[in-house]
Amino acid sequence: MPFIDKIDPATTLSLTSLIPLDDGQVNSRTLVQRDDMSMTLFSVATDEEIGGHTAEGDALVNILSGEAEVTIRKKAHRVPAGQSILIPAGARHSLYALEGFQMLLIVVKPQAEN
């Protein structure tokens, strides 16, 4: 059984083709959802935002197209296509689309103790 079962294995693909970039919308598509890790594709239309929130794990934001303003602990960072930024666990953050963007978000969470 594959761990990433939402895309075909051993097939070359463009992740941007898996998530539409629609005017006025924020879209998401989960690729993996586990207790200790998640991988999700997002698209955020120009001038739209994923509002302030926190995550219990480290979040690696990989911008695939467009340009985002990622605010971490009240400090804004411009992140264009082809660039990534790491958001530490527990840090309040938000994402704003300077230009409509698509991203792959990978969140690694602490493993539950037995």
Side-chain angles (χ1 to χ4, degrees):
M1 178 173 106
F3 295 105
I4 302 174
D5 61 357
K6 306 292 186 207
I7 55 178
D8 294 328
T11 302
T12 301
L13 63 103
S14 170
L15 292 176
T16 58
S17 70
L18 299 178
I19 187 78
L21 183 53
D22 298 322
D23 287 342
Q25 293 190 28
V26 175
N27 297 311
S28 66
R29 179 175 178 181
T30 301
L31 301 178
V32 175
Q33 185 66 51
R34 300 186 341 210
D35 289 342
D36 63 341
M37 187 193 76
S38 65
M39 294 174 59
T40 308
L41 291 169
F42 283 90
S43 66
V44 182
T46 301
D47 293 328
E48 296 295 325
E49 180 176 27
I50 298 174
H53 62 282
T54 61
E56 68 177 281
D58 289 341
L60 182 62
V61 173
N62 303 281
I63 302 299
L64 305 172
S65 72
E67 185 172 15
E69 180 179 83
V70 180
T71 301
I72 304 169
R73 296 185 179 128
K74 299 182 181 180
K75 182 177 180 190
H77 306 268
R78 290 180 78 105
V79 187
Q83 299 290 305
S84 302
I85 190 165
L86 180 64
I87 302 168
R92 185 155 182 82
H93 61 280
S94 62
L95 298 94
Y96 173 77
L98 297 167
E99 174 187 334
F101 69 88
Q102 294 163 297
M103 72 173 178
L104 173 63
L105 174 66
I106 301 169
V107 180
V108 180
K109 305 171 192 172
Q111 290 186 339
E113 296 183 27
N114 293 332

